[in-house]
Amino acid sequence: GEILHVFQKDVIDLNTGLEIEFQDPYSGSVVKKDLPLFDYIASNLPFVQVEDLDELNPKILNINQLITKEIGEEFVLSGKSDLCAYLPFYLWSLLLETGKLGIIISNAWLGTDWGEKFQEALRRFFIIKKIITSGVGRWFHNADVVTNMVILEKKPVISEPKSNEKTS
């Protein structure tokens, strides 16, 4: 009898306070609720290669402006970055003060130039708590990439990483 809080929106269109419509399972009537800040967000981020970003997610490159504004200096993610490099910074704004973000992404960020820039920015917005990689092979048989699960804890204030911030 509970209202299922399931809806479909592009993540870049989500903002706290956004009115979302749900359906009451008993009456069929529309129930409107404001999107709250979240304790946790878990996502298997979609893989959209850099060549398709302009067509499939034209607003996503605005996240560079968000990063620049938040860290107080000019910052642009590498032009080689796929969609998964942009979304954690947007999701940061949807988390409570010490909210957690769990994402499944390609492991390409661990050994590339764009990955170094991504990790530099990521460590300002989050504490990278865990990086989990399968030593057995691919998790998804229909994917051409090896994936990681990355567990992030939101920093209440965007800042340089501290020496006591450990990743396991």
XYZ file of all heavy atoms in Angstrom, residues 79-149:
577
model
N 38.850 16.536 -21.988
C 37.979 16.272 -23.121
C 37.849 14.796 -23.429
O 37.026 14.386 -24.235
N 38.639 13.965 -22.763
C 38.556 12.510 -22.935
C 37.602 11.877 -21.923
O 37.382 10.678 -21.938
C 39.938 11.887 -22.779
C 40.940 12.360 -23.816
C 42.302 11.765 -23.525
C 43.341 12.330 -24.476
N 44.690 11.878 -24.135
N 37.054 12.675 -21.019
C 36.195 12.157 -19.951
C 34.837 11.741 -20.497
O 34.198 12.492 -21.212
C 35.978 13.230 -18.886
O 37.191 13.718 -18.396
N 34.396 10.539 -20.110
C 33.052 10.131 -20.498
C 32.057 10.620 -19.443
O 32.426 11.280 -18.471
C 32.973 8.620 -20.754
C 33.388 7.784 -19.555
O 33.072 8.161 -18.419
O 34.032 6.737 -19.763
N 30.795 10.317 -19.637
C 29.719 10.845 -18.786
C 29.944 10.558 -17.302
O 29.675 11.408 -16.459
C 28.373 10.273 -19.244
C 27.149 10.723 -18.463
C 26.914 12.219 -18.651
C 25.918 9.932 -18.886
N 30.464 9.385 -16.978
C 30.611 9.016 -15.563
C 31.557 9.938 -14.809
O 31.493 10.037 -13.593
C 31.039 7.566 -15.419
S 32.736 7.233 -15.927
N 32.422 10.657 -15.518
C 33.334 11.582 -14.846
C 32.622 12.847 -14.385
O 33.078 13.515 -13.462
C 34.491 11.952 -15.770
N 31.514 13.182 -14.987
C 30.803 14.420 -14.657
C 29.764 14.237 -13.555
O 29.556 15.121 -12.728
C 30.110 14.969 -15.917
C 31.067 15.449 -16.970
C 31.548 14.597 -17.945
C 31.518 16.768 -16.974
C 32.448 15.039 -18.909
C 32.412 17.222 -17.934
C 32.873 16.343 -18.902
O 33.761 16.783 -19.841
N 29.087 13.090 -13.568
C 27.916 12.921 -12.701
C 28.185 12.965 -11.198
O 27.368 13.513 -10.460
C 27.167 11.647 -13.086
C 26.510 11.707 -14.469
C 25.793 10.399 -14.775
C 25.562 12.880 -14.592
N 29.289 12.427 -10.674
C 29.477 12.517 -9.212
C 29.451 13.948 -8.684
O 28.957 14.204 -7.581
C 30.844 11.869 -8.988
C 31.007 10.946 -10.146
C 30.340 11.636 -11.302
N 29.947 14.889 -9.472
C 29.978 16.279 -9.019
C 28.579 16.882 -8.978
O 28.285 17.711 -8.126
C 30.902 17.107 -9.921
C 32.278 16.524 -9.964
C 32.701 15.792 -11.060
C 33.130 16.664 -8.881
C 33.961 15.228 -11.084
C 34.392 16.098 -8.896
C 34.808 15.378 -10.001
N 27.729 16.454 -9.866
C 26.343 16.915 -9.832
C 25.600 16.237 -8.681
O 24.840 16.881 -7.957
C 25.637 16.647 -11.165
C 24.309 17.351 -11.214
C 24.254 18.716 -11.475
C 23.127 16.689 -10.924
C 23.053 19.389 -11.468
C 21.921 17.363 -10.915
C 21.886 18.706 -11.189
O 20.703 19.365 -11.158
N 25.835 14.948 -8.500
C 25.152 14.211 -7.428
C 25.556 14.723 -6.048
O 24.795 14.607 -5.095
C 25.437 12.714 -7.566
C 24.823 12.057 -8.804
C 25.349 10.636 -8.972
C 23.311 12.088 -8.750
N 26.751 15.303 -5.922
C 27.204 15.886 -4.652
C 26.144 16.843 -4.102
O 25.872 16.871 -2.907
C 28.537 16.607 -4.888
C 29.138 17.265 -3.683
C 29.998 16.698 -2.796
C 28.930 18.604 -3.233
N 30.342 17.612 -1.827
C 29.691 18.790 -2.070
C 28.171 19.669 -3.700
C 29.729 19.983 -1.375
C 28.199 20.872 -3.008
C 28.972 21.012 -1.859
N 25.541 17.626 -4.985
C 24.561 18.631 -4.550
C 23.252 18.016 -4.082
O 22.434 18.699 -3.473
C 24.289 19.631 -5.677
O 23.613 18.986 -6.753
N 23.038 16.736 -4.346
C 21.798 16.067 -3.947
C 21.955 15.261 -2.660
O 21.008 14.640 -2.200
C 21.309 15.133 -5.070
C 20.969 15.809 -6.393
C 20.602 14.771 -7.439
C 19.850 16.824 -6.222
N 23.152 15.276 -2.076
C 23.420 14.507 -0.862
C 23.353 15.379 0.387
O 23.714 16.555 0.352
C 24.818 13.876 -0.933
C 24.998 12.733 -1.927
C 26.493 12.437 -2.117
C 24.254 11.496 -1.460
N 22.924 14.765 1.490
C 23.002 15.427 2.791
C 24.465 15.690 3.128
O 25.373 15.191 2.465
C 22.360 14.546 3.865
C 20.834 14.493 3.839
C 20.317 13.371 4.730
C 20.262 15.832 4.290
N 24.701 16.415 4.194
C 26.043 16.898 4.532
C 27.123 15.817 4.524
O 28.225 16.043 4.058
C 26.018 17.601 5.892
C 27.274 18.378 6.148
C 27.149 19.316 7.324
O 26.471 20.350 7.192
O 27.732 19.003 8.369
N 26.847 14.644 5.066
C 27.827 13.551 5.020
C 27.235 12.349 4.296
O 27.484 11.199 4.655
C 28.305 13.144 6.427
O 27.156 12.802 7.209
C 29.103 14.235 7.099
N 26.467 12.621 3.257
C 25.852 11.556 2.470
C 26.897 10.723 1.757
O 28.048 11.119 1.596
N 26.478 9.543 1.342
C 27.361 8.613 0.656
C 26.884 8.410 -0.780
O 25.688 8.425 -1.058
C 27.364 7.251 1.347
C 27.635 7.284 2.843
C 29.085 7.324 3.166
C 29.403 7.126 4.609
N 28.732 7.947 5.564
N 27.845 8.204 -1.671
C 27.568 7.946 -3.073
C 28.310 6.681 -3.461
O 29.528 6.590 -3.287
C 28.039 9.125 -3.933
C 27.945 8.994 -5.446
C 26.501 8.797 -5.893
C 28.545 10.225 -6.118
N 27.590 5.707 -3.945
C 28.183 4.467 -4.436
C 27.942 4.395 -5.935
O 26.791 4.446 -6.367
N 29.017 4.326 -6.713
C 28.865 4.310 -8.164
C 29.680 3.170 -8.768
O 30.725 2.791 -8.240
C 29.302 5.650 -8.806
C 30.717 6.047 -8.380
C 28.313 6.746 -8.476
C 31.270 7.289 -9.044
N 29.160 2.632 -9.837
C 29.895 1.647 -10.625
C 30.311 2.362 -11.899
O 29.467 2.900 -12.616
C 29.027 0.413 -10.926
C 28.670 -0.297 -9.622
C 29.765 -0.534 -11.878
C 27.710 -1.453 -9.785
N 31.619 2.402 -12.126
C 32.153 3.103 -13.294
C 33.271 2.284 -13.924
O 33.805 1.364 -13.302
C 32.675 4.522 -12.939
C 33.834 4.462 -11.942
C 31.564 5.387 -12.379
C 34.488 5.809 -11.683
N 33.649 2.655 -15.119
C 34.784 2.036 -15.790
C 36.042 2.271 -14.970
O 36.175 3.294 -14.316
C 34.937 2.665 -17.183
O 36.239 2.470 -17.664
N 36.978 1.341 -15.040
C 38.221 1.537 -14.294
C 39.217 2.417 -15.045
O 40.329 2.638 -14.584
C 38.870 0.198 -13.944
C 39.507 -0.483 -15.139
O 39.202 -0.174 -16.294
N 40.371 -1.440 -14.875
N 38.809 2.980 -16.186
C 39.711 3.797 -17.005
C 40.275 4.991 -16.236
O 41.375 5.439 -16.524
C 38.986 4.292 -18.253
N 39.566 5.489 -15.250
C 40.030 6.662 -14.519
C 41.258 6.367 -13.656
O 41.954 7.282 -13.247
C 38.895 7.226 -13.670
C 38.463 6.359 -12.534
C 37.720 5.211 -12.610
C 38.722 6.559 -11.150
N 37.513 4.685 -11.360
C 38.117 5.502 -10.444
C 39.413 7.530 -10.451
C 38.170 5.388 -9.069
C 39.463 7.416 -9.058
C 38.845 6.355 -8.391
N 41.549 5.104 -13.424
C 42.674 4.777 -12.540
C 44.035 4.876 -13.214
O 45.038 4.983 -12.535
C 42.484 3.365 -11.964
C 41.324 3.230 -10.991
C 41.124 1.779 -10.594
C 41.529 4.102 -9.764
N 44.074 4.878 -14.538
C 45.378 4.897 -15.167
C 45.464 5.790 -16.391
O 46.194 5.468 -17.316
N 44.744 6.898 -16.368
C 44.746 7.783 -17.532
C 44.979 9.226 -17.101
O 44.818 9.574 -15.931
C 43.392 7.719 -18.272
O 42.367 8.156 -17.377
C 43.082 6.324 -18.770
N 45.326 10.054 -18.075
C 45.498 11.481 -17.791
C 44.191 12.097 -17.325
O 44.165 12.862 -16.354
C 45.993 12.223 -19.030
C 47.415 11.836 -19.403
O 48.125 11.307 -18.531
O 47.802 12.074 -20.556
N 43.093 11.782 -18.024
C 41.814 12.367 -17.623
C 41.420 11.856 -16.251
O 40.800 12.563 -15.471
C 40.709 12.145 -18.663
C 40.083 10.781 -18.725
C 40.343 9.795 -19.617
C 39.037 10.255 -17.874
N 39.560 8.694 -19.388
C 38.753 8.951 -18.322
C 38.332 10.753 -16.780
C 37.794 8.141 -17.718
C 37.380 9.946 -16.180
C 37.109 8.663 -16.649
N 41.830 10.623 -15.924
C 41.505 10.059 -14.621
C 42.200 10.766 -13.481
O 41.652 10.907 -12.389
N 43.428 11.233 -13.722
C 44.139 11.985 -12.686
C 43.422 13.287 -12.378
O 43.259 13.672 -11.217
C 45.571 12.261 -13.124
C 46.459 11.046 -13.074
C 47.891 11.355 -13.469
O 48.338 12.495 -13.219
O 48.548 10.454 -14.017
N 42.980 13.970 -13.403
C 42.246 15.236 -13.231
C 40.915 14.969 -12.530
O 40.508 15.703 -11.627
C 42.028 15.879 -14.596
C 41.499 17.263 -14.543
C 42.491 18.200 -15.198
C 41.894 19.567 -15.279
N 42.735 20.588 -14.768
N 40.232 13.906 -12.937
C 38.968 13.497 -12.326
C 39.165 13.206 -10.841
O 38.427 13.694 -9.996
C 38.436 12.265 -13.067
C 37.278 11.570 -12.415
C 36.041 12.184 -12.329
C 37.417 10.282 -11.929
C 34.960 11.532 -11.748
C 36.348 9.626 -11.351
C 35.124 10.248 -11.258
N 40.206 12.432 -10.527
C 40.453 12.070 -9.132
C 40.820 13.295 -8.300
O 40.411 13.419 -7.138
C 41.568 11.021 -9.058
C 41.721 10.439 -7.689
C 42.708 9.302 -7.643
O 43.189 9.001 -6.559
N 43.048 8.644 -8.732
N 41.571 14.213 -8.884
C 41.927 15.454 -8.188
C 40.670 16.220 -7.770
O 40.550 16.671 -6.627
C 42.789 16.309 -9.115
C 43.166 17.661 -8.558
C 43.842 18.543 -9.621
O 44.564 18.016 -10.471
O 43.621 19.766 -9.557
N 39.746 16.366 -8.695
C 38.497 17.073 -8.378
C 37.634 16.259 -7.429
O 37.043 16.793 -6.485
C 37.734 17.382 -9.664
N 37.565 14.955 -7.662
C 36.738 14.078 -6.824
C 37.155 14.168 -5.364
O 36.314 14.248 -4.467
C 36.885 12.646 -7.338
C 35.809 11.640 -6.990
C 34.455 12.084 -7.535
C 36.161 10.271 -7.539
N 38.464 14.213 -5.112
C 38.972 14.283 -3.732
C 38.689 15.629 -3.062
O 38.790 15.744 -1.852
C 40.463 13.978 -3.698
C 40.771 12.523 -3.979
C 42.255 12.223 -3.800
N 42.560 10.842 -4.089
C 42.393 9.833 -3.228
N 41.931 10.066 -2.026
N 42.713 8.604 -3.573
N 38.325 16.620 -3.811
C 37.931 17.901 -3.206
C 36.466 17.866 -2.764
O 36.103 18.490 -1.779
C 38.137 19.043 -4.188
C 39.589 19.347 -4.454
C 39.722 20.507 -5.375
N 41.108 20.803 -5.656
C 41.526 21.993 -6.020
N 40.691 22.993 -6.146
N 42.799 22.181 -6.280
N 35.648 17.143 -3.498
C 34.215 17.065 -3.206
C 33.876 15.924 -2.240
O 32.899 15.992 -1.512
C 33.422 16.838 -4.499
C 33.238 18.060 -5.345
C 34.303 18.628 -6.021
C 31.990 18.647 -5.475
C 34.138 19.753 -6.815
C 31.817 19.769 -6.261
C 32.887 20.325 -6.933
N 34.677 14.867 -2.270
C 34.376 13.641 -1.527
C 35.638 13.088 -0.870
O 36.747 13.373 -1.306
C 33.870 12.543 -2.475
C 32.584 12.842 -3.175
C 32.590 13.365 -4.456
C 31.363 12.576 -2.573
C 31.407 13.630 -5.126
C 30.176 12.833 -3.236
C 30.191 13.359 -4.521
N 35.410 12.253 0.128
C 36.455 11.361 0.615
C 36.213 10.047 -0.121
O 35.114 9.489 -0.061
C 36.364 11.155 2.141
C 36.570 12.487 2.869
C 37.391 10.110 2.595
C 36.260 12.434 4.353
N 37.222 9.574 -0.839
C 37.085 8.297 -1.550
C 37.330 7.201 -0.515
O 38.460 6.953 -0.106
C 38.079 8.181 -2.727
C 37.878 9.344 -3.699
C 37.899 6.834 -3.440
C 38.913 9.409 -4.827
N 36.242 6.582 -0.057
C 36.331 5.594 1.016
C 36.844 4.247 0.509
O 37.687 3.634 1.140
C 34.968 5.401 1.698
C 34.383 6.668 2.302
C 35.243 7.246 3.391
C 35.001 6.563 4.707
N 35.748 7.191 5.810
N 36.302 3.790 -0.617
C 36.675 2.470 -1.138
C 36.663 2.471 -2.657
O 35.819 3.118 -3.272
C 35.704 1.390 -0.662
C 35.704 1.174 0.828
C 34.857 -0.018 1.208
C 34.800 -0.201 2.701
N 36.023 -0.557 3.339
N 37.590 1.718 -3.231
C 37.587 1.416 -4.654
C 37.646 -0.103 -4.740
O 38.606 -0.721 -4.260
C 38.790 2.036 -5.388
C 38.800 3.557 -5.222
C 38.752 1.647 -6.872
C 40.064 4.224 -5.734
N 36.619 -0.687 -5.295
C 36.514 -2.143 -5.353
C 36.604 -2.570 -6.817
O 35.820 -2.118 -7.649
C 35.182 -2.623 -4.742
C 35.077 -2.101 -3.301
C 35.062 -4.141 -4.810
C 33.692 -2.086 -2.731
N 37.587 -3.416 -7.105
C 37.787 -3.927 -8.458
C 37.828 -5.438 -8.395
O 38.474 -6.010 -7.515
C 39.114 -3.407 -9.055
O 39.091 -1.982 -9.057
C 39.311 -3.895 -10.465
N 37.146 -6.066 -9.318
C 37.174 -7.517 -9.386
C 38.508 -7.972 -9.950
O 38.945 -7.505 -11.002
C 36.038 -8.027 -10.279
O 36.203 -9.414 -10.490
N 39.162 -8.889 -9.268
C 40.391 -9.471 -9.778
C 40.120 -10.658 -10.692
O 41.029 -11.256 -11.244
N 38.847 -11.002 -10.846
C 38.457 -12.171 -11.626
C 38.122 -11.804 -13.065
O 38.129 -12.638 -13.942
C 37.235 -12.864 -10.962
C 36.846 -14.116 -11.708
C 37.545 -13.186 -9.528
N 37.823 -10.556 -13.313
C 37.471 -10.143 -14.668
C 36.303 -9.189 -14.680
O 36.002 -8.542 -13.676
N 35.620 -9.130 -15.802
C 34.502 -8.191 -15.979
C 33.288 -8.623 -15.162
O 32.969 -9.798 -15.084
C 34.139 -8.101 -17.459
C 35.226 -7.448 -18.270
C 34.800 -7.311 -19.732
N 35.757 -6.491 -20.442
C 36.848 -6.968 -21.028
N 37.100 -8.251 -20.987
N 37.668 -6.148 -21.648
N 32.605 -7.627 -14.589
C 31.362 -7.899 -13.864
C 30.193 -8.051 -14.821
O 29.247 -8.748 -14.550
C 31.065 -6.767 -12.884
C 32.013 -6.677 -11.737
C 32.875 -7.648 -11.307
C 32.200 -5.572 -10.868
N 33.589 -7.200 -10.226
C 33.200 -5.927 -9.932
C 31.644 -4.314 -10.783
C 33.630 -5.078 -8.931
C 32.077 -3.462 -9.789
C 33.047 -3.840 -8.867
N 30.259 -7.318 -15.926
C 29.160 -7.308 -16.882
C 29.664 -7.905 -18.189
O 30.548 -7.346 -18.833
C 28.648 -5.869 -17.094
C 28.236 -5.209 -15.806
C 29.051 -4.254 -15.201
C 27.055 -5.554 -15.178
C 28.687 -3.652 -14.009
C 26.689 -4.958 -13.980
C 27.496 -4.010 -13.394
N 29.099 -9.029 -18.581
C 29.582 -9.758 -19.754
C 29.331 -9.018 -21.058
O 30.003 -9.256 -22.053
C 28.958 -11.154 -19.800
C 29.339 -11.970 -18.606
N 30.623 -12.421 -18.389
C 28.610 -12.371 -17.536
C 30.662 -13.088 -17.245
N 29.470 -13.068 -16.700
N 28.364 -8.101 -21.066
C 28.069 -7.357 -22.290
C 28.854 -6.041 -22.370
O 28.615 -5.242 -23.250
C 26.565 -7.074 -22.404
C 26.052 -6.225 -21.259
O 26.704 -6.077 -20.242
N 24.861 -5.682 -21.423
N 29.788 -5.836 -21.471
C 30.578 -4.594 -21.456
C 32.005 -4.887 -21.893
O 32.549 -5.946 -21.609
C 30.580 -3.986 -20.065
N 32.592 -3.923 -22.571
C 33.971 -4.051 -23.022
C 34.967 -3.492 -22.017
O 36.162 -3.468 -22.290
C 34.159 -3.308 -24.357
C 33.406 -3.980 -25.487
O 33.188 -5.205 -25.416
O 33.038 -3.275 -26.444
N 34.490 -3.012 -20.881
C 35.376 -2.392 -19.899
C 35.316 -3.142 -18.575
O 34.330 -3.794 -18.252
C 34.995 -0.910 -19.651
C 35.181 -0.095 -20.903
C 33.576 -0.784 -19.137
N 36.407 -3.055 -17.826
C 36.427 -3.563 -16.461
C 35.877 -2.454 -15.584
O 36.166 -1.280 -15.803
C 37.860 -3.946 -16.047
C 37.920 -4.359 -14.585
C 38.386 -5.062 -16.944
N 35.083 -2.805 -14.606
C 34.433 -1.781 -13.790
C 34.971 -1.773 -12.366
O 35.541 -2.740 -11.887
C 32.908 -2.004 -13.757
O 32.634 -3.363 -13.399
C 32.277 -1.721 -15.093
N 34.753 -0.644 -11.714
C 35.040 -0.456 -10.291
C 33.754 -0.067 -9.596
O 32.910 0.580 -10.209
C 35.983 0.718 -10.027
C 37.323 0.630 -10.679
O 37.797 1.609 -11.193
N 37.964 -0.514 -10.645
N 33.666 -0.411 -8.332
C 32.646 0.181 -7.483
C 33.413 1.178 -6.614
O 34.437 0.833 -6.020
C 31.946 -0.847 -6.605
C 30.876 -0.226 -5.720
S 30.051 -1.416 -4.651
C 29.311 -2.479 -5.827
